[in-house]
Amino acid sequence: MAEEKKIPYKIYLEESEMPQKWYNVRADMKNKPAPLLNPGTHQPMTAEELGGVFCEDLVAQELDNENQYIDIPQEIRDFYKMYRPAPLVRAYCLEEKLQTPAKIYYKFEGNNTSGSHKLNSAIAQAYYAKKQGLKGVTTETGAGQWGTALSMACSYLDLDCKVFMVKVSYEQKPFRREVMRVYGASVTPSPSMETEIGKKINAEHPGTTGSLGCAISEAVEVAVKNPGYRYVLGSVLNQVLLHQSIIGLETKAALDKYDIKPDIIIGCAGGGSNLGGLIAPFMGEKLRGEADYRIIAVEPASCPSFTRGKYAYDFCDTGMVCPLAKMYTLGSDFIPSANHAGGLRYHGMSPVLSQLYDDGLMEAVSVEQTKVFEAAEQFARVEGILPAPESSHAIRVAIDEALKCKETGEEKTIVFGLTGTGYFDMVAYEKFHDGKMDDYIPTDEELAEYAAKLPKVD
Amino acid sequence: MAEEKKIPYKIYLEESEMPQKWYNVRADMKNKPAPLLNPGTHQPMTAEELGGVFCEDLVAQELDNENQYIDIPQEIRDFYKMYRPAPLVRAYCLEEKLQTPAKIYYKFEGNNTSGSHKLNSAIAQAYYAKKQGLKGVTTETGAGQWGTALSMACSYLDLDCKVFMVKVSYEQKPFRREVMRVYGASVTPSPSMETEIGKKINAEHPGTTGSLGCAISEAVEVAVKNPGYRYVLGSVLNQVLLHQSIIGLETKAALDKYDIKPDIIIGCAGGGSNLGGLIAPFMGEKLRGEADYRIIAVEPASCPSFTRGKYAYDFCDTGMVCPLAKMYTLGSDFIPSANHAGGLRYHGMSPVLSQLYDDGLMEAVSVEQTKVFEAAEQFARVEGILPAPESSHAIRVAIDEALKCKETGEEKTIVFGLTGTGYFDMVAYEKFHDGKMDDYIPTDEELAEYAAKLPKVD
């Protein structure tokens, strides 16, 4: 116990200890993630084809299943210094409150203005766009974390940033839109009348409040049609997981510094960007047979792609202009009920994580949103930080695992990813306090209906 | 220059380097701040009289002009560990953007859920209330930073927390109210019908949207009338400046660690809690003749207590139930125009800072809010952090001083306090972007009218 006391509340790496390379987990995977397919021909997308949509260095990263480590350019490392290292926090107060023998750590990614880990990949994607001499980038955003992060990165690099924001969020969540404006981005509610696909969707569904899949289609269309522009995406893609490996690498370095070996690693999973980044180096050890960990993906019961989806090729967007990805998916038309406030609303899942899950290398659980907000509030009251609803999915399961340890008396070490803060989610917290939040869970029949519409790929 | 490169972007103190005592600048002041007076008798308030309103240990701190250092109780230091040390950041990107030879540092206090430095004193005041065996505390809040901070501290210590929130903020800024609810506080719009003074103000001014001075009166009344409750305040008082000295002590320790000697220290000033804390140890050196620094208080042109107020005894609240304090004041009825979005709206100023300013030991400047938001946006775009409007007053003057260095070629070292984040101020940013923000400056006639109503004290 004497040794244990030396572990500070927050472990910060020194600048000299910061990772200088991203880790590419695909290099260590025996079963590689399935390739992206051309939506027309169903043939694997070539670098050339992808280059019409994505920046060229990012295409190379997207297709790279071989290189274990990839250098983080100095310019990106300089930017990282502005808000990294993120602290690895020992949740002493939560442990005390739960009266658990478990040791709980969380990697807190919310200490930057975008409020989440999204900035880690935003700066990388913006950097490569700048390096290629592009004028700007386009993207979509739902609640706005990714759009905010990209706006910050583009502002720093003096790059044009065009964001399609799901209309319902644009109207109901004006504050994140305003943060994007602080950083000089142009923000358009989607579906808009600025794109062919937007016009089509508006015509077919008058008064629609939009969806992420539709906003993606609009952003891709604008990128493809405007010289000097490319499309960037905040999750799902292999390149994003690569950039987000900074989370796991820092976490591992901080743990190693104090000879701490985690038993369980927990992350929330929407498209998989945080979870994939957090677990990367640990999964690498597992794949190489050097260590074993329980790795748990947590998803909302309202959007259960891992736990109730199909592992199949599917469209990434509504307009079906994007490549097909093989992933755990609920179907590209699936949209969780509007009363789901807890984020993580994407129908699919990172192909890398999908393959790892299919290979039995990680677990997944789904949780109901009222239970998630209960955990969020409990966490906030003892640990101080007001967590984002998304992050609180991981808190829920970390608490559940710690309570199991209380029953069994096991002193397990639990690490979870606290991806961000909930300052822009107070409407959801208000619903929760006022007892107006309920738990939507799609029926088997609903899910079967969406699954039946999956594209047929041989 | 080689030496300089060793200075990291962010200087974090180790846990072992954290201050263990607060510094009490009054001990080194030749001219002590004037005592608080009983509003009825105009005699100095005794400890016994103050004890009816404030916790007993805090009364002792309030009256202590002698002890240079006061131990920070272990329980408070444990809480500080949850969100401190706050980083001292070298603003490399801002320097680069401004092309200034000046070296700019900022002490960032926004990395906690209350979003500002207010938590430093909130936990101290809550701790002493708990130590005294009280049931709870009452307070007022305007935009909500202080109320949020106090809610967090009370939640941590399991203490009841009753917040009177200025009605206009309660209605227009529901999100901070909601954060307080996350932390279990009860939040009442002020003026309410729960207090005598609230009823009186509602009767005299039907439909009033309240003021800070009125909310103070209500909170004091509830504390005095309910056994087991005391009133706590987030600024102005000597005890608050004492607690906030943690900001300056950490800043100085971080600078000393790299042998950096600041030339100019800049802080925003509303009631003086941040500025008084930031400058404390530097002012101490100045008072003891050990070093010299330029110290600049920055206030809004719309509420210019230092630069255009009177140094006189005045009421701290509208209801005139609080002690009289000698301070730079605009008069207790003064309320800045509603179109002032930039915070720092209190009519008075810390008696300690007032005395130091009157003794010529520091400077003060006032700035217009559109210039403040320009600086805020410029800062956000290069340094990443979205600053609170209050903090941005200091940014404005730091940039102005850095630009003077550019003209003269001087390599001055500038340190400023970045007190918090602006996540709950997006309506103000929106006004700024939409060109709907203007600069209210009170006329000499208006100020003279309020000044004429100052109480007569011999």
Side-chain angles (χ1 to χ4, degrees), chain B residues 4-22:
Chain B
E4 211 186 295
K5 279 190 182 158
K6 287 182 208 157
I7 298 171
Y9 269 70
K10 290 186 280 185
I11 308 176
Y12 279 108
L13 300 180
E14 302 285 326
E15 268 186 32
S16 59
E17 298 169 319
M18 290 281 291
Q20 307 206 359
K21 296 165 191 288
W22 291 306

Side-chain angles (χ1 to χ4, degrees), chain B residues 69-89:
Chain B
Y69 288 96
I70 291 173
D71 285 333
I72 308 175
Q74 183 63 48
E75 291 83 350
I76 297 175
R77 282 162 49 207
D78 283 345
F79 187 87
Y80 280 168
K81 281 183 202 166
M82 285 170 58
Y83 68 101
R84 306 199 70 80
L88 182 72
V89 188

